[in-house]
Amino acid sequence: MQRRNGIRKCIRPKRKCAVRCKVEHAFKIIKDTFGFRKVRYRGLAKNFNKLNVLFACANLLMVKRGQIKSQKALIRG
């Protein structure tokens, strides 16, 4: 039991790090490339819509750079 718990404790931070790295890279692109560092209050719906569009653009940019695989590449294997 202790060994299993020890292994689980070692694996969890690695998985968290891998996910965090992928997610934070999209935030970096949005902040640096698209200049979305400070947000004016224009209404929650407008800000939410702009963030959705920026995340879609960041995903497309990462696919173009080869940092993440496109959906077609994932289907092909």
Side-chain angles (χ1 to χ4, degrees):
M1 282 299 221
Q2 290 178 354
R3 185 175 181 195
R4 279 187 171 177
N5 289 339
I7 291 172
R8 286 183 186 167
K9 288 181 182 178
C10 291
I11 293 174
R12 283 184 185 160
K14 289 180 183 179
R15 287 184 185 168
K16 285 181 184 178
C17 254
V19 170
R20 188 176 292 138
C21 178
K22 292 175 185 176
V23 171
E24 286 185 2
H25 190 72
F27 279 102
K28 180 192 178 297
I29 289 174
I30 289 172
K31 286 182 173 183
D32 293 343
T33 307
F34 301 122
F36 200 72
R37 289 203 178 263
K38 293 185 178 179
V39 181
R40 286 185 177 175
Y41 183 76
R42 299 182 299 159
L44 292 176
K46 289 181 182 179
N47 286 337
F48 183 72
N49 187 30
K50 186 171 182 180
L51 272 178
N52 282 337
V53 171
L54 288 176
F55 272 108
C57 292
N59 284 336
L60 291 174
L61 193 63
M62 286 192 288
V63 168
K64 181 180 176 185
R65 292 180 181 171
Q67 294 169 343
I68 57 174
K69 292 183 179 181
S70 66
Q71 195 67 22
K72 290 181 182 178
L74 291 174
I75 293 171
R76 291 180 192 159

